[in-house]
Amino acid sequence: MTTTKPSLELLRSLTDEHVLRELMRARRLTRADLAARSGLSKPTVGESVRRLTEAGLVVDTGERTPGGRGRGRVGSYYALADTAGTALAVSIAPDGVVVERVDAHGDVLGRTRHDISRPARAEQVAAALRTAAAQARESVGGPIRLAVVSAADPVERASGRLVRLPDAPFLLGELDPVDVLAPQVDGPVIVDNDVNWAAQAERNTDPTGLGDFAYVFLGEGLGCAVVSDGEVRRGHSGLAGEIAHLVTIGPHGQATRFIDVFADLDLRRAGTTAIDVERVRQLTVATRAALGRAVSGVLAAIVALADPRLVIVGGPWGSQPAVLDAITTAFSQLPRHVEVRPALLTEEPSLTGARAEALDRLRSAIVALPQRTASPAVRATATDS
C-alpha cells in the first residue's frame, strides 16, 4: 500500500492559512507567538510570515517585544495588512439602506445610512444603495472583496434580484443589488431575504446549538425561515417562507389569507398592505386574541410541513409579550404544536446575520489569496518538489 505525501505547495498553503487565521483572531503576534498557537515550528512559521509579507498580506507593525540584556531576542509583531481587504454588510429595509464596512477581525470600520421614502421605488432604493456603497469604498480598509446583502423582499435564488410578489408591502418594482454593487466590489455579491439572515443570526446566538427550527418574522411584512440540519432551506427559486398567502383562521372563524387578516382587523398602514406596527401594539384583548388565532393557524401549517423542533417569533410586534402570549395560547390548543419562544436578537437581527456571513466569507477569501498571488517561481518550485 502506498501513501501520497502532500506537496510542498499544499504544506505552504496550510501553513499560510494557520498564520492568517491566527492573525485574524489575535490582531498582532510575533513569530514565536504564531508558532506556539499553531503548533508549527518557528522556522516554518518564519517562512510563512516572509511569504505573506512579500505578498502584501502581512506587515511588520514596528512594535517590538522587550529584549536584550539577558531577556532574550527582541521579537517583531506582525498583523494583517490593509491590503488583505474588507467586506460590505448591507441591509435594504423599509426604513432605509445601511452599508457597513467590515474587516477580517470583525470590526465595523464605517457605517453609512440613507433613508427611503414610502412607498419605496426600485430606482430610489438603487440610488441610495449605490451612494452608500460608494461612500463606504472611500473609507480606509483596502479592497472590498465581497458584499453580503439582506433585503426585506423576496429574493430570486439564482440571480439575487428582488422580486415583487402580490401584496408585498415594501418595494415597488424589481431591484438588482448585484448589478448595483458590482462596480464597488472586487468579488461576489451575495443576496438573501432578511428573514433568512435573521434566522441565521438567531442560530449563531442560541447557546443550545439550534439546528431545526422555524423563524417567523412579524413586522410591517410577514416572513418565515425554516432551518433544518443547521441550514436555511430556501426552496427551488428562493421563495420558501413567503407566508403572507397561507390560509389561516380569520377574525370570525372563517378561512382567509393571512395577509387579509390585517385588513379585516384594520391593522394596515393607509394605502398599503404594510402592517401598522404601532396599531398592533395597542390592540384590545379581544382583537389580540383574534390575531393570535390567525398566527397560530400559520404556525400549525409550518409545523405540519417542516416539522421544526421549535418556533422562534421575531419582528417588531411578533415578540411583544402580550402578542406572543396570545399566539402561544391559541397555538397550544391546536392538535399539533411545538415550543414557541421569542427571538433572542431584537436589534438589527438581519444585518447581524449578513455581517456574520460577510466576515466568514471575507476570512475565507483572504486565506485563498496567497495561492493566487504566489509568484510563478514559487509555484514552479512547489510543483517540482
Side-chain angles (χ1 to χ4, degrees), residues 241-267:
E242 295 298 331
I243 58 175
H245 291 268
L246 279 178
V247 175
T248 187
I249 308 164
H252 306 292
Q254 79 282 18
T256 188
R257 298 185 310 161
F258 190 28
I259 188 65
D260 291 336
V261 169
F262 300 90
D264 294 340
L265 295 175
D266 193 26
L267 295 176

PDB file of all heavy atoms in Angstrom, residues 241-267:
ATOM      1  N   GLY A 241     -40.915  30.197   2.512  1.00  0.00           N
ATOM      2  CA  GLY A 241     -41.162  31.016   3.697  1.00  0.00           C
ATOM      3  C   GLY A 241     -42.008  32.251   3.464  1.00  0.00           C
ATOM      4  O   GLY A 241     -42.215  33.038   4.391  1.00  0.00           O
ATOM      5  N   GLU A 242     -42.514  32.448   2.249  1.00  0.00           N
ATOM      6  CA  GLU A 242     -43.398  33.594   1.996  1.00  0.00           C
ATOM      7  C   GLU A 242     -44.801  33.215   2.488  1.00  0.00           C
ATOM      8  O   GLU A 242     -45.604  32.639   1.766  1.00  0.00           O
ATOM      9  CB  GLU A 242     -43.393  33.935   0.510  1.00  0.00           C
ATOM     10  CG  GLU A 242     -42.047  34.417  -0.006  1.00  0.00           C
ATOM     11  CD  GLU A 242     -41.593  35.704   0.657  1.00  0.00           C
ATOM     12  OE1 GLU A 242     -42.465  36.505   1.074  1.00  0.00           O
ATOM     13  OE2 GLU A 242     -40.373  35.915   0.777  1.00  0.00           O
ATOM     14  N   ILE A 243     -45.094  33.553   3.742  1.00  0.00           N
ATOM     15  CA  ILE A 243     -46.287  33.035   4.421  1.00  0.00           C
ATOM     16  C   ILE A 243     -47.519  33.925   4.288  1.00  0.00           C
ATOM     17  O   ILE A 243     -48.587  33.572   4.789  1.00  0.00           O
ATOM     18  CB  ILE A 243     -45.992  32.808   5.923  1.00  0.00           C
ATOM     19  CG1 ILE A 243     -45.531  34.124   6.577  1.00  0.00           C
ATOM     20  CG2 ILE A 243     -44.951  31.715   6.101  1.00  0.00           C
ATOM     21  CD1 ILE A 243     -45.334  34.018   8.079  1.00  0.00           C
ATOM     22  N   ALA A 244     -47.387  35.076   3.634  1.00  0.00           N
ATOM     23  CA  ALA A 244     -48.498  36.031   3.603  1.00  0.00           C
ATOM     24  C   ALA A 244     -49.772  35.431   3.029  1.00  0.00           C
ATOM     25  O   ALA A 244     -50.874  35.808   3.431  1.00  0.00           O
ATOM     26  CB  ALA A 244     -48.106  37.277   2.815  1.00  0.00           C
ATOM     27  N   HIS A 245     -49.632  34.487   2.104  1.00  0.00           N
ATOM     28  CA  HIS A 245     -50.813  33.953   1.429  1.00  0.00           C
ATOM     29  C   HIS A 245     -51.246  32.592   1.956  1.00  0.00           C
ATOM     30  O   HIS A 245     -52.124  31.949   1.359  1.00  0.00           O
ATOM     31  CB  HIS A 245     -50.572  33.895  -0.082  1.00  0.00           C
ATOM     32  CG  HIS A 245     -50.496  35.254  -0.712  1.00  0.00           C
ATOM     33  ND1 HIS A 245     -51.586  35.893  -1.249  1.00  0.00           N
ATOM     34  CD2 HIS A 245     -49.461  36.122  -0.841  1.00  0.00           C
ATOM     35  CE1 HIS A 245     -51.230  37.081  -1.694  1.00  0.00           C
ATOM     36  NE2 HIS A 245     -49.945  37.249  -1.466  1.00  0.00           N
ATOM     37  N   LEU A 246     -50.653  32.146   3.058  1.00  0.00           N
ATOM     38  CA  LEU A 246     -51.158  30.936   3.699  1.00  0.00           C
ATOM     39  C   LEU A 246     -52.592  31.159   4.174  1.00  0.00           C
ATOM     40  O   LEU A 246     -52.936  32.243   4.650  1.00  0.00           O
ATOM     41  CB  LEU A 246     -50.287  30.556   4.900  1.00  0.00           C
ATOM     42  CG  LEU A 246     -48.985  29.810   4.622  1.00  0.00           C
ATOM     43  CD1 LEU A 246     -48.235  29.570   5.923  1.00  0.00           C
ATOM     44  CD2 LEU A 246     -49.277  28.477   3.944  1.00  0.00           C
ATOM     45  N   VAL A 247     -53.413  30.137   4.064  1.00  0.00           N
ATOM     46  CA  VAL A 247     -54.792  30.238   4.550  1.00  0.00           C
ATOM     47  C   VAL A 247     -54.806  29.907   6.038  1.00  0.00           C
ATOM     48  O   VAL A 247     -54.237  28.907   6.480  1.00  0.00           O
ATOM     49  CB  VAL A 247     -55.713  29.276   3.781  1.00  0.00           C
ATOM     50  CG1 VAL A 247     -57.116  29.283   4.374  1.00  0.00           C
ATOM     51  CG2 VAL A 247     -55.749  29.669   2.306  1.00  0.00           C
ATOM     52  N   THR A 248     -55.455  30.776   6.806  1.00  0.00           N
ATOM     53  CA  THR A 248     -55.486  30.600   8.254  1.00  0.00           C
ATOM     54  C   THR A 248     -56.872  30.925   8.793  1.00  0.00           C
ATOM     55  O   THR A 248     -57.848  30.985   8.049  1.00  0.00           O
ATOM     56  CB  THR A 248     -54.404  31.481   8.920  1.00  0.00           C
ATOM     57  OG1 THR A 248     -54.334  31.177  10.318  1.00  0.00           O
ATOM     58  CG2 THR A 248     -54.677  32.951   8.727  1.00  0.00           C
ATOM     59  N   ILE A 249     -56.969  31.148  10.110  1.00  0.00           N
ATOM     60  CA  ILE A 249     -58.245  31.391  10.782  1.00  0.00           C
ATOM     61  C   ILE A 249     -58.532  32.893  10.806  1.00  0.00           C
ATOM     62  O   ILE A 249     -57.777  33.666  11.413  1.00  0.00           O
ATOM     63  CB  ILE A 249     -58.213  30.853  12.224  1.00  0.00           C
ATOM     64  CG1 ILE A 249     -57.749  29.390  12.224  1.00  0.00           C
ATOM     65  CG2 ILE A 249     -59.566  31.003  12.895  1.00  0.00           C
ATOM     66  CD1 ILE A 249     -57.318  28.896  13.585  1.00  0.00           C
ATOM     67  N   GLY A 250     -59.588  33.311  10.169  1.00  0.00           N
ATOM     68  CA  GLY A 250     -59.936  34.726  10.137  1.00  0.00           C
ATOM     69  C   GLY A 250     -60.572  35.198  11.430  1.00  0.00           C
ATOM     70  O   GLY A 250     -60.863  34.407  12.342  1.00  0.00           O
ATOM     71  N   PRO A 251     -60.788  36.516  11.564  1.00  0.00           N
ATOM     72  CA  PRO A 251     -61.334  37.092  12.800  1.00  0.00           C
ATOM     73  C   PRO A 251     -62.681  36.512  13.221  1.00  0.00           C
ATOM     74  O   PRO A 251     -63.009  36.495  14.411  1.00  0.00           O
ATOM     75  CB  PRO A 251     -61.461  38.583  12.462  1.00  0.00           C
ATOM     76  CG  PRO A 251     -60.477  38.819  11.372  1.00  0.00           C
ATOM     77  CD  PRO A 251     -60.460  37.548  10.568  1.00  0.00           C
ATOM     78  N   HIS A 252     -63.469  36.020  12.260  1.00  0.00           N
ATOM     79  CA  HIS A 252     -64.792  35.476  12.577  1.00  0.00           C
ATOM     80  C   HIS A 252     -64.828  33.958  12.403  1.00  0.00           C
ATOM     81  O   HIS A 252     -65.907  33.369  12.233  1.00  0.00           O
ATOM     82  CB  HIS A 252     -65.855  36.140  11.701  1.00  0.00           C
ATOM     83  CG  HIS A 252     -65.834  37.634  11.784  1.00  0.00           C
ATOM     84  ND1 HIS A 252     -66.186  38.322  12.931  1.00  0.00           N
ATOM     85  CD2 HIS A 252     -65.463  38.578  10.865  1.00  0.00           C
ATOM     86  CE1 HIS A 252     -66.043  39.625  12.718  1.00  0.00           C
ATOM     87  NE2 HIS A 252     -65.614  39.806  11.479  1.00  0.00           N
ATOM     88  N   GLY A 253     -63.648  33.332  12.442  1.00  0.00           N
ATOM     89  CA  GLY A 253     -63.560  31.887  12.345  1.00  0.00           C
ATOM     90  C   GLY A 253     -63.543  31.353  10.933  1.00  0.00           C
ATOM     91  O   GLY A 253     -63.490  30.137  10.723  1.00  0.00           O
ATOM     92  N   GLN A 254     -63.594  32.238   9.953  1.00  0.00           N
ATOM     93  CA  GLN A 254     -63.614  31.795   8.560  1.00  0.00           C
ATOM     94  C   GLN A 254     -62.187  31.568   8.053  1.00  0.00           C
ATOM     95  O   GLN A 254     -61.236  32.114   8.588  1.00  0.00           O
ATOM     96  CB  GLN A 254     -64.318  32.841   7.684  1.00  0.00           C
ATOM     97  CG  GLN A 254     -63.470  34.069   7.305  1.00  0.00           C
ATOM     98  CD  GLN A 254     -63.344  35.103   8.404  1.00  0.00           C
ATOM     99  OE1 GLN A 254     -63.586  34.840   9.570  1.00  0.00           O
ATOM    100  NE2 GLN A 254     -62.947  36.310   8.018  1.00  0.00           N
ATOM    101  N   ALA A 255     -62.045  30.758   6.994  1.00  0.00           N
ATOM    102  CA  ALA A 255     -60.755  30.571   6.350  1.00  0.00           C
ATOM    103  C   ALA A 255     -60.417  31.819   5.532  1.00  0.00           C
ATOM    104  O   ALA A 255     -61.258  32.300   4.758  1.00  0.00           O
ATOM    105  CB  ALA A 255     -60.777  29.339   5.448  1.00  0.00           C
ATOM    106  N   THR A 256     -59.219  32.350   5.707  1.00  0.00           N
ATOM    107  CA  THR A 256     -58.821  33.556   4.991  1.00  0.00           C
ATOM    108  C   THR A 256     -57.313  33.590   4.826  1.00  0.00           C
ATOM    109  O   THR A 256     -56.578  32.923   5.563  1.00  0.00           O
ATOM    110  CB  THR A 256     -59.295  34.816   5.749  1.00  0.00           C
ATOM    111  OG1 THR A 256     -59.070  35.971   4.943  1.00  0.00           O
ATOM    112  CG2 THR A 256     -58.538  34.975   7.053  1.00  0.00           C
ATOM    113  N   ARG A 257     -56.835  34.360   3.865  1.00  0.00           N
ATOM    114  CA  ARG A 257     -55.396  34.509   3.687  1.00  0.00           C
ATOM    115  C   ARG A 257     -54.823  35.287   4.870  1.00  0.00           C
ATOM    116  O   ARG A 257     -55.452  36.221   5.374  1.00  0.00           O
ATOM    117  CB  ARG A 257     -55.069  35.236   2.393  1.00  0.00           C
ATOM    118  CG  ARG A 257     -55.518  34.534   1.123  1.00  0.00           C
ATOM    119  CD  ARG A 257     -55.017  35.291  -0.105  1.00  0.00           C
ATOM    120  NE  ARG A 257     -55.336  36.716  -0.038  1.00  0.00           N
ATOM    121  CZ  ARG A 257     -54.725  37.659  -0.758  1.00  0.00           C
ATOM    122  NH1 ARG A 257     -53.773  37.323  -1.606  1.00  0.00           N
ATOM    123  NH2 ARG A 257     -55.074  38.929  -0.656  1.00  0.00           N
ATOM    124  N   PHE A 258     -53.635  34.911   5.278  1.00  0.00           N
ATOM    125  CA  PHE A 258     -53.003  35.559   6.427  1.00  0.00           C
ATOM    126  C   PHE A 258     -52.913  37.070   6.237  1.00  0.00           C
ATOM    127  O   PHE A 258     -53.248  37.850   7.142  1.00  0.00           O
ATOM    128  CB  PHE A 258     -51.615  34.948   6.634  1.00  0.00           C
ATOM    129  CG  PHE A 258     -50.942  35.345   7.921  1.00  0.00           C
ATOM    130  CD1 PHE A 258     -51.651  35.686   9.061  1.00  0.00           C
ATOM    131  CD2 PHE A 258     -49.548  35.359   8.000  1.00  0.00           C
ATOM    132  CE1 PHE A 258     -51.020  36.040  10.248  1.00  0.00           C
ATOM    133  CE2 PHE A 258     -48.898  35.709   9.182  1.00  0.00           C
ATOM    134  CZ  PHE A 258     -49.636  36.056  10.301  1.00  0.00           C
ATOM    135  N   ILE A 259     -52.503  37.522   5.056  1.00  0.00           N
ATOM    136  CA  ILE A 259     -52.340  38.946   4.818  1.00  0.00           C
ATOM    137  C   ILE A 259     -53.671  39.687   4.930  1.00  0.00           C
ATOM    138  O   ILE A 259     -53.716  40.855   5.330  1.00  0.00           O
ATOM    139  CB  ILE A 259     -51.691  39.200   3.434  1.00  0.00           C
ATOM    140  CG1 ILE A 259     -51.344  40.673   3.246  1.00  0.00           C
ATOM    141  CG2 ILE A 259     -52.571  38.696   2.313  1.00  0.00           C
ATOM    142  CD1 ILE A 259     -50.301  41.192   4.173  1.00  0.00           C
ATOM    143  N   ASP A 260     -54.780  39.004   4.612  1.00  0.00           N
ATOM    144  CA  ASP A 260     -56.084  39.662   4.647  1.00  0.00           C
ATOM    145  C   ASP A 260     -56.611  39.833   6.072  1.00  0.00           C
ATOM    146  O   ASP A 260     -57.505  40.651   6.305  1.00  0.00           O
ATOM    147  CB  ASP A 260     -57.100  38.873   3.820  1.00  0.00           C
ATOM    148  CG  ASP A 260     -56.796  38.935   2.332  1.00  0.00           C
ATOM    149  OD1 ASP A 260     -56.128  39.903   1.910  1.00  0.00           O
ATOM    150  OD2 ASP A 260     -57.201  38.015   1.604  1.00  0.00           O
ATOM    151  N   VAL A 261     -56.067  39.059   7.011  1.00  0.00           N
ATOM    152  CA  VAL A 261     -56.469  39.204   8.414  1.00  0.00           C
ATOM    153  C   VAL A 261     -56.240  40.636   8.886  1.00  0.00           C
ATOM    154  O   VAL A 261     -57.053  41.217   9.618  1.00  0.00           O
ATOM    155  CB  VAL A 261     -55.693  38.211   9.306  1.00  0.00           C
ATOM    156  CG1 VAL A 261     -55.896  38.527  10.788  1.00  0.00           C
ATOM    157  CG2 VAL A 261     -56.115  36.788   8.994  1.00  0.00           C
ATOM    158  N   PHE A 262     -55.165  41.247   8.434  1.00  0.00           N
ATOM    159  CA  PHE A 262     -54.799  42.586   8.907  1.00  0.00           C
ATOM    160  C   PHE A 262     -55.697  43.658   8.303  1.00  0.00           C
ATOM    161  O   PHE A 262     -55.928  44.694   8.927  1.00  0.00           O
ATOM    162  CB  PHE A 262     -53.316  42.840   8.605  1.00  0.00           C
ATOM    163  CG  PHE A 262     -52.421  41.839   9.271  1.00  0.00           C
ATOM    164  CD1 PHE A 262     -52.064  40.662   8.624  1.00  0.00           C
ATOM    165  CD2 PHE A 262     -51.983  42.041  10.566  1.00  0.00           C
ATOM    166  CE1 PHE A 262     -51.274  39.715   9.251  1.00  0.00           C
ATOM    167  CE2 PHE A 262     -51.204  41.097  11.201  1.00  0.00           C
ATOM    168  CZ  PHE A 262     -50.842  39.932  10.543  1.00  0.00           C
ATOM    169  N   ALA A 263     -56.215  43.384   7.120  1.00  0.00           N
ATOM    170  CA  ALA A 263     -57.214  44.296   6.554  1.00  0.00           C
ATOM    171  C   ALA A 263     -58.523  44.166   7.320  1.00  0.00           C
ATOM    172  O   ALA A 263     -59.174  45.161   7.653  1.00  0.00           O
ATOM    173  CB  ALA A 263     -57.416  43.981   5.075  1.00  0.00           C
ATOM    174  N   ASP A 264     -58.903  42.923   7.630  1.00  0.00           N
ATOM    175  CA  ASP A 264     -60.154  42.690   8.358  1.00  0.00           C
ATOM    176  C   ASP A 264     -60.119  43.324   9.752  1.00  0.00           C
ATOM    177  O   ASP A 264     -61.149  43.770  10.267  1.00  0.00           O
ATOM    178  CB  ASP A 264     -60.407  41.185   8.498  1.00  0.00           C
ATOM    179  CG  ASP A 264     -60.671  40.519   7.156  1.00  0.00           C
ATOM    180  OD1 ASP A 264     -61.023  41.244   6.202  1.00  0.00           O
ATOM    181  OD2 ASP A 264     -60.501  39.286   7.062  1.00  0.00           O
ATOM    182  N   LEU A 265     -58.922  43.364  10.367  1.00  0.00           N
ATOM    183  CA  LEU A 265     -58.789  43.933  11.712  1.00  0.00           C
ATOM    184  C   LEU A 265     -58.375  45.403  11.691  1.00  0.00           C
ATOM    185  O   LEU A 265     -58.104  45.990  12.735  1.00  0.00           O
ATOM    186  CB  LEU A 265     -57.758  43.128  12.518  1.00  0.00           C
ATOM    187  CG  LEU A 265     -58.128  41.669  12.825  1.00  0.00           C
ATOM    188  CD1 LEU A 265     -56.967  40.955  13.510  1.00  0.00           C
ATOM    189  CD2 LEU A 265     -59.380  41.611  13.701  1.00  0.00           C
ATOM    190  N   ASP A 266     -58.328  45.992  10.484  1.00  0.00           N
ATOM    191  CA  ASP A 266     -57.944  47.404  10.317  1.00  0.00           C
ATOM    192  C   ASP A 266     -56.554  47.663  10.913  1.00  0.00           C
ATOM    193  O   ASP A 266     -56.348  48.604  11.671  1.00  0.00           O
ATOM    194  CB  ASP A 266     -58.984  48.318  10.982  1.00  0.00           C
ATOM    195  CG  ASP A 266     -58.809  49.784  10.569  1.00  0.00           C
ATOM    196  OD1 ASP A 266     -58.265  50.019   9.466  1.00  0.00           O
ATOM    197  OD2 ASP A 266     -59.192  50.664  11.360  1.00  0.00           O
ATOM    198  N   LEU A 267     -55.595  46.833  10.509  1.00  0.00           N
ATOM    199  CA  LEU A 267     -54.232  46.950  11.040  1.00  0.00           C
ATOM    200  C   LEU A 267     -53.206  47.252   9.953  1.00  0.00           C
ATOM    201  O   LEU A 267     -52.014  47.053  10.151  1.00  0.00           O
ATOM    202  CB  LEU A 267     -53.839  45.639  11.749  1.00  0.00           C
ATOM    203  CG  LEU A 267     -54.639  45.299  13.002  1.00  0.00           C
ATOM    204  CD1 LEU A 267     -54.213  43.942  13.539  1.00  0.00           C
ATOM    205  CD2 LEU A 267     -54.457  46.378  14.064  1.00  0.00           C
TER     206      LEU A 267
END
